[in-house]
Amino acid sequence: MSATGDRVVAAVADVLGVPAAEVRTAATLFDLPGFDSIAVVGVLERLESDLGVEVPPERIVPEAFATVDDVARLVDDATALVPGRPMGDPR
């Protein structure tokens, strides 16, 4: 798993109050108890703050939050928009 993926797992686990292992093994994040639109906002805000990025609003769609890899890709894409920071650099 990428460094960004590890950060996604940590953020989801923290927001939901579940073990990171449960996040890693979930078929989709929406299978986790409590992973709803409010949790999505909490996870996204945490990642944006921690990584110093802002995900464009048009990219914030349910499909972008289905799996840890989907969220990591969303954040990595936003990272590519930060001048001077290589894509995938989680800071």
Side-chain angles (χ1 to χ4, degrees):
M1 183 169 290
S2 70
T4 305
D6 288 338
R7 285 182 176 244
V8 170
V9 168
V12 171
D14 191 49
V15 166
L16 296 181
V18 299
E22 189 173 340
V23 176
R24 283 188 185 92
T25 59
T28 75
L29 295 177
F30 293 107
D31 291 336
L32 295 168
F35 195 79
D36 56 16
S37 59
I38 293 171
V40 165
V41 170
V43 168
L44 184 59
E45 286 179 346
R46 169 87 42 97
L47 293 168
E48 287 179 330
S49 175
D50 288 353
L51 300 173
V53 300
E54 186 173 336
V55 175
E58 65 273 8
R59 300 287 316 273
I60 302 172
V61 296
E63 298 79 23
F65 295 88
T67 67
V68 168
D69 289 339
D70 292 333
V71 180
R73 191 171 20 264
L74 180 71
V75 171
D76 283 343
D77 289 351
T79 301
L81 300 175
V82 177
R85 190 177 314 160
M87 185 172 171
D89 177 2
R91 267 190 155 197

